[in-house]
Amino acid sequence: MTDTQQDAGKSLTGLKKIRRWPPEVSILLVLVGIMLVFEILGWILIGDSFIANRQRLSIIVLQVAVTGVIAIGVTQVIITAGVDLSSGSMVGFIAMVAASLAQVSTNERAVFGAYGLTDLNPVWAILSGLTLGLLLGFINGFIIAKTKIPPFIATLGMMVSVRGLAKWYTLGQPVALLSDSFSWFGHSFPVFGFPVPRPVIVFLIVAVIFHILLTYTRYGKFTYAIGANPQAARVSGINIGNHLMKVYSIAGLLSGLAAVMTAARAESAQPGMGVGYELDAIASCVIGGTSLGGGVGRITGTFIGTIILGVVTSGFTFLKVGAYYQEIVKGIIIVAAVVIDQNRQNKRRKSS
Amino acid sequence: MVSPSTMKIVRESGAVPGSEFVLEVAEVRKEFPGVVALDNVKFQLRAGTVHALMGENGAGKSTLMKIIAGIYTPDKGTFKLRGVDVRLKSPLDALENGIAMIHQELNLMGPMTVSENIWIRREPKNRFGFIDHLEMRRKTEELFKRLNIEIDPVVEVGTLSVANRQMVEIAKAVSFNSDVLIMDEPTSALTEREVTHLFQIIRALKAEGKGIIYITHKMNELFDIADEVSIFRDGKYIATKNSKDLTRDEIIRMMVGREITQLFPKETVPIGNVKLSVKGLTLNGIFKDVSFDVREGEILGIAGLVGSGRSNIAETIFGVTPASSGAIEIDGKRVNIKSPAVAMHNGMAFLTEDRKETGCFLLLDIQDNTQMAVLQNRYVNYGFVEQTQLAKDSEVMAQALRVRTPDMQEPIINLSGGNQQKVLIARWLLTKPRILILDEPTRGIDVGAKAEIHKLVSQLAGQGVAVIMISSEMPEVMGMSDRIMVVHEGRVTGFLDRSEATQVKIMEMASH
């Protein structure tokens, strides 16, 4: 009579705990595999090591730091079963605006030269970039929450319009000659004699913050809930519209940050900046195991996914593969990485 | 051992080997990480009979059915179709060998027509290789006539009622000329009249010599329709009996392995002040002028047919679909409940009718599923979740409700329906509600778990919680409620006190 009761009590805690590998393990293996392939090909074709070159490793991370920051914002958007296509255009427009507030007075063609808005403290350029990103992201979220149109469409519209804004801002002219204090953010500083680019540090800090945000806060829990089952989320008392506005605003904020980093690194801005970044960012997310269906995804995965994209680009350059071939193979790798990961996930689900 | 494809050819040639049993499995074992789902299980199905499977949630019925339908492969065991050893590798294998399963969750494509759904992948073609819609329609009509189903073959499935979709699903299974039909709780969403119709169809199929495996939690159905009953407990085979030789209590004892003395352990508790008062609540086009009070410690049952508006009333009180007009008062104060968040802030909790659609976060684990509602108001410090305390309290709650799982990190999708339901109840109990709305709290749940949930609801009422309980099961409503409100076509047709309620009175009020 009591045995079933004991059984049930035991089954919750008494049974051997199932060992669960974090879902990132498989994607980490893909990264290691890709690096090994480049290493082996490097020895065979070039007679040089791919991995044992700290300079190259730091360049890989620098290259992906910008799309990485965007990808982190996009990860949380995709977890809510949404998507953000506007981040690349935002980088272009916001880079223009931030750069225009960071020009030196010796530049006769400074955008706001006539108003004396030159040689400003770089804080203004950075703040304006972040604010503008937040605002544009909020508009995305507001439209999605209030009109209930698919995020794909809402952000597609934003993508097209904001790219237009970027071109309109200076009528297509680049913004150049930025102050040293602003460009400082794009430069490297030495760590044990090795140059570490500041954008990489920003990327790492943002990744850690958002990992904590998604894993340990109510904001994070609700983000997963909305993506996993919006109806159940609503019945659980979650205000979906408000939450989506926050999620898209934060994604916009991170696009703004990426824009500032881009302008500082290039020490200039032009309307075509950031073209295709949104797709690289989405690719990083899905390679890292974030499901476009929502409810699934982690920052650690996106981080590794971002590095994979960087490694692939850098590896092809290292092997002296032509740029056209690079793109062709990059597309294939994106699809292959997701297929491998998905197969593994399915196996896991079936076996449990 | 014969391969499924050979068996298929043999079957089509008509030279089917004779055997007493259409289907026979023995010594079946299936393990999942951390759980032995089936251990040395056997099952034999005779032609022309309905064979019911009984067992608590997690007893292994669904796993066994999925093995028979080719969805899972067993770790061990023999599988005989009409006496011939077969190994099925996929659901398609099973289908081609005459085994069709009608799932609890229907698998039809909403935007396609009824006949397109039935003949998908097997559409009749004309001589140009295009789909012959006329022929397809004719075949569907023929099939429906044989089964006495009245549905237009060319309407979109998405526009049909749940009951009609169920009929389409059954017709589809029959259209494969299957010998074995597996029905997993086919009546859980049907009204009494629809159930009667379904049983007519089942009897017709029986007369054609088909073997039907019938999974249900409803005892009275069992005695109505089943010839034989097999009982399972904790992944083990217990017994197979003729249903005529069994009593309800015997079945329950075998299922649970212990006596359940009281299925509806309603305690008499002191009834307090009016907690919730609903006045003239209206949702345009759905229900009209609904008024009632619920007191502290009282259980108000809501009875009515499926589609009478009972669930809509609950949804409106909880703010899921705010009312068009009318008032809701809590503790005598009028509150404007415009969203579930406001309802929760006022001490309400709402267990919804549809576990899958509006309950579970299927992609998330048990821990997340348990804590999602309570995070709205508690266990959060400067935005951060107080994970340690919350995990501890969630686990205590899950244990108290006897959720069967290896740990709280198990994805909820791996739990049986009853255990999922317990997790959802735990979710709401964590919020310490003062008003608890339960919509079909025991649907699709075995007797053991049912009794536990009833006991729990009764205890909560004892602690002064005002409970509203909607149920399609008459004995449940009558057994648990202090008062019963009957709803018919969006209007309240009357109230019955516990002492005066009879099944006949309720049915009368619910159907006119």
Side-chain angles (χ1 to χ4, degrees):
Chain A
M1 216 179 124
T2 49
D3 62 351
T4 33
Q5 271 166 352
Q6 277 166 356
D7 269 7
K10 199 174 67 187
S11 61
L12 190 67
T13 48
L15 265 180
K16 54 174 183 193
K17 288 252 172 189
I18 298 171
R19 201 112 164 246
R20 290 184 178 83
W21 291 104
E24 288 78 26
V25 169
S26 70
I27 210 67
L28 196 61
L29 289 179
V30 171
L31 172 61
V32 171
I34 291 175
M35 288 179 87
L36 282 180
V37 169
F38 280 127
E39 180 71 17
I40 293 164
L41 287 177
W43 284 111
I44 296 170
L45 299 176
I46 320 254
D48 192 7
S49 167
F50 175 67
I51 297 167
N53 185 332
R54 287 153 90 178
Q55 191 99 32
R56 174 153 42 241
L57 293 183
S58 106
I59 289 173
I60 292 174
V61 196
L62 173 62
Q63 274 173 343
V64 297
V66 170
T67 49
V69 167
I70 297 172
I72 285 165
V74 173
T75 300
Q76 38 145 20
V77 169
I78 296 181
I79 290 172
T80 67
V83 74
D84 185 359
L85 296 176
S86 63
S87 41
S89 293
M90 283 196 202
V91 167
F93 177 50
I94 297 170
M96 297 287 285
V97 174
S100 71
L101 291 169
Q103 287 177 298
V104 291
S105 52
T106 47
N107 182 356
E108 287 166 13
R109 297 168 61 195
V111 177
F112 295 115
Y115 307 96
L117 291 174
T118 48
D119 288 337
L120 297 173
N121 189 320
V123 167
W124 296 112
I126 294 170
L127 265 186
S128 66
L130 298 183
T131 314
L132 195 52
L134 193 68
L135 181 73
L136 292 174
F138 174 78
I139 296 174
N140 274 337
F142 184 81
I143 292 172
I144 291 162
K146 297 298 169 194
T147 67
K148 311 249 180 341
I149 64 171
F152 186 96
I153 305 298
T155 59
L156 178 71
M158 183 62 80
M159 167 181 164
V160 174
S161 293
V162 171
R163 182 63 68 189
L165 278 177
K167 292 171 185 162
W168 161 85
Y169 190 65
T170 57
L171 304 178
Q173 297 303 308
V175 181
L177 294 176
L178 308 187
S179 67
D180 288 342
S181 54
F182 179 73
S183 312
W184 179 86
F185 292 102
H187 293 162
S188 303
F189 63 95
V191 175
F192 300 119
F194 271 93
V196 175
R198 290 197 177 84
V200 173
I201 301 298
V202 173
F203 176 36
L204 286 175
I205 294 173
V206 168
V208 170
I209 291 176
F210 277 83
H211 177 73
I212 292 171
L213 195 67
L214 281 184
T215 321
Y216 300 105
T217 69
R218 171 162 64 187
Y219 171 86
K221 297 289 177 196
F222 283 5
T223 304
Y224 285 99
I226 288 173
N229 186 344
Q231 295 189 66
R234 197 168 129 67
V235 176
S236 300
I238 299 172
N239 187 329
I240 296 179
N242 279 359
H243 196 86
L244 286 182
M245 285 194 256
K246 285 185 210 164
V247 169
Y248 282 89
S249 299
I250 289 175
L253 178 76
L254 290 183
S255 293
L257 179 61
V260 171
M261 285 158 62
T262 309
R265 214 185 114 201
E267 298 181 21
S268 68
Q270 35 126 341
M273 269 177 169
V275 169
Y277 281 15
E278 66 281 346
L279 299 181
D280 275 350
I282 294 169
S284 303
C285 299
V286 293
I287 290 176
T290 305
S291 155
L292 285 172
V296 178
R298 284 157 61 110
I299 296 297
T300 38
T302 298
F303 189 84
I304 299 168
T306 310
I307 306 280
I308 287 181
L309 276 190
V311 165
V312 170
T313 313
S314 163
F316 283 132
T317 314
F318 163 67
L319 294 177
K320 302 191 175 62
V321 177
Y324 304 129
Y325 302 109
Q326 283 191 21
E327 283 187 19
I328 296 169
V329 179
K330 198 164 131 188
I332 296 172
I333 286 179
I334 291 173
V335 174
V338 175
V339 171
I340 292 169
D341 188 50
Q342 196 165 299
N343 273 344
R344 197 195 63 93
Q345 302 268 9
N346 282 348
K347 240 183 240 158
R348 218 164 60 120
R349 193 165 306 154
K350 255 185 210 150
S351 72
S352 66
Chain B
M1 173 92 50
V2 178
S3 83
S5 45
T6 323
M7 186 66 191
K8 183 189 164 203
I9 295 163
V10 172
R11 216 171 82 83
E12 278 166 0
S13 72
V16 186
S19 164
E20 189 186 351
F21 301 109
V22 223
L23 174 82
E24 216 175 333
V25 296
E27 291 168 16
V28 175
R29 185 178 172 85
K30 179 76 186 171
E31 239 176 284
F32 294 117
V35 188
V36 180
L38 291 177
D39 183 17
N40 197 15
V41 160
K42 69 165 185 171
F43 176 71
Q44 294 169 317
L45 179 66
R46 281 171 220 277
T49 63
V50 175
H51 195 139
L53 289 191
M54 299 289 288
E56 293 192 89
N57 295 114
K61 297 165 305 200
S62 292
T63 312
L64 179 62
M65 287 312 101
K66 283 181 176 162
I67 286 174
I68 291 175
I71 298 166
Y72 292 155
T73 23
D75 301 336
K76 219 186 107 201
T78 58
F79 196 115
K80 284 185 189 169
L81 273 174
R82 296 201 180 273
V84 182
D85 264 326
V86 188
R87 172 141 296 207
L88 302 175
K89 293 190 193 70
S90 70
L92 191 63
D93 267 358
L95 211 49
E96 287 179 341
N97 281 286
I99 301 173
M101 179 154 180
I102 299 151
H103 290 269
Q104 216 167 342
E105 299 93 26
L106 304 180
N107 290 319
L108 295 171
M109 283 143 282
M112 291 169 69
T113 67
V114 169
S115 48
E116 279 168 342
N117 265 288
I118 291 177
W119 302 105
I120 187 158
R121 235 175 49 85
R122 307 171 291 158
E123 296 91 348
K125 304 263 168 63
N126 62 20
R127 60 203 160 97
F128 302 110
F130 292 109
I131 293 172
D132 188 341
H133 280 99
L134 276 178
E135 171 67 8
M136 193 155 79
R137 182 175 178 168
R138 198 193 54 74
K139 282 172 75 174
T140 313
E141 277 165 355
E142 199 180 277
L143 182 68
F144 281 0
K145 205 168 161 198
R146 188 172 128 209
L147 295 174
N148 193 15
I149 296 175
E150 280 168 20
I151 300 173
D152 186 354
V154 294
V155 299
E156 283 181 16
V157 163
T159 63
L160 296 179
S161 67
V162 180
N164 278 340
R165 280 187 225 184
Q166 188 109 40
M167 300 298 168
V168 173
E169 186 91 29
I170 290 168
K172 182 178 173 181
V174 171
S175 75
F176 279 94
N177 237 336
S178 315
D179 298 326
V180 178
L181 285 167
I182 306 170
M183 298 189 181
D184 191 358
E185 292 191 49
T187 58
S188 59
L190 303 191
T191 63
E192 217 132 310
R193 215 176 55 213
E194 291 161 342
V195 172
T196 316
H197 185 200
L198 176 71
F199 283 1
Q200 279 169 4
I201 294 175
I202 292 179
R203 288 194 186 99
L205 292 169
K206 217 168 92 171
E208 288 183 21
K210 307 206 180 297
I212 292 156
I213 306 174
Y214 194 94
I215 303 181
T216 186
H217 286 120
K218 299 186 185 164
M219 286 287 175
N220 39 357
E221 270 180 14
L222 182 90
F223 293 109
D224 264 3
I225 195 78
D227 302 297
E228 281 184 295
V229 186
S230 282
I231 292 151
F232 296 85
R233 190 202 317 150
D234 294 334
K236 294 191 180 70
Y237 169 83
I238 303 296
T240 300
K241 293 263 167 72
N242 223 320
S243 66
K244 287 190 202 76
D245 306 336
L246 280 170
T247 67
R248 186 191 164 88
D249 288 348
E250 278 172 325
I251 295 177
I252 294 178
R253 194 165 344 107
M254 283 193 275
M255 278 168 63
V256 190
R258 65 192 140 100
E259 300 270 352
I260 292 186
T261 39
Q262 241 185 324
L263 196 48
F264 309 108
K266 173 81 181 85
E267 295 160 23
T268 321
V269 300
I271 307 273
N273 298 325
V274 173
K275 182 74 192 166
L276 172 76
S277 178
V278 174
K279 290 180 176 156
L281 204 66
T282 301
L283 184 62
N284 290 339
I286 308 289
F287 60 84
K288 209 178 161 202
D289 206 16
V290 172
S291 302
F292 62 88
D293 292 343
V294 194
R295 292 167 176 274
E296 287 168 353
E298 185 183 34
I299 301 177
L300 175 75
I302 302 186
L305 302 173
V306 176
S308 60
R310 3 168 256 197
S311 295
N312 305 87
I313 295 172
E315 280 169 10
T316 297
I317 294 172
F318 196 68
V320 180
T321 42
S324 319
S325 63
I328 295 170
E329 286 174 8
I330 292 171
D331 293 327
K333 275 194 276 304
R334 188 166 170 169
V335 282
N336 176 18
I337 295 178
K338 55 183 200 295
S339 73
V342 177
M344 286 165 65
H345 200 74
N346 283 288
M348 284 197 216
F350 177 34
L351 183 75
T352 55
E353 178 185 13
D354 194 329
R355 242 189 333 261
K356 200 172 151 198
E357 288 287 313
T358 53
C360 293
F361 300 101
L362 286 175
L363 294 165
L364 307 184
D365 64 23
I366 296 172
Q367 177 65 47
D368 277 337
N369 269 285
T370 312
Q371 72 194 16
M372 213 49 97
V374 77
L375 286 177
Q376 196 63 244
N377 297 316
R378 284 168 56 220
Y379 294 106
V380 177
N381 219 336
Y382 298 106
F384 281 85
V385 177
E386 290 167 350
Q387 202 63 65
T388 329
Q389 189 59 40
L390 181 51
K392 215 196 279 169
D393 292 356
S394 309
E395 187 155 345
V396 167
M397 191 62 82
Q399 255 172 328
L401 290 172
R402 299 182 48 193
V403 178
R404 264 179 72 103
T405 172
D407 58 34
M408 297 292 282
Q409 275 66 50
E410 187 74 11
I412 196 170
I413 198 163
N414 292 344
L415 297 189
S416 64
N419 279 307
Q420 288 180 353
Q421 187 77 339
K422 289 182 187 171
V423 170
L424 297 184
I425 292 175
R427 177 192 292 170
W428 288 114
L429 292 191
L430 267 183
T431 68
K432 303 209 169 108
R434 301 307 298 162
I435 301 169
L436 180 61
I437 309 173
L438 304 165
D439 194 354
E440 302 280 8
T442 62
R443 169 182 289 179
I445 285 189
D446 63 72
V447 229
K450 219 174 200 168
E452 282 164 21
I453 288 172
H454 288 154
K455 201 167 140 202
L456 190 86
V457 171
S458 197
Q459 277 169 1
L460 287 167
Q463 293 159 18
V465 176
V467 180
I468 299 173
M469 190 171 98
I470 301 172
S471 175
S472 294
E473 276 187 63
M474 216 60 94
E476 183 174 74
V477 181
M478 295 197 306
M480 291 297 296
S481 315
D482 293 299
R483 265 189 320 144
I484 299 166
M485 175 171 101
V486 188
V487 185
H488 175 63
E489 288 182 351
R491 286 173 304 107
V492 175
T493 45
F495 290 87
L496 290 167
D497 258 344
R498 183 179 178 78
S499 50
E500 56 177 347
T502 63
Q503 205 144 341
V504 177
K505 274 189 196 163
I506 296 175
M507 272 324 288
E508 267 174 13
M509 287 174 147
S511 53
H512 72 270

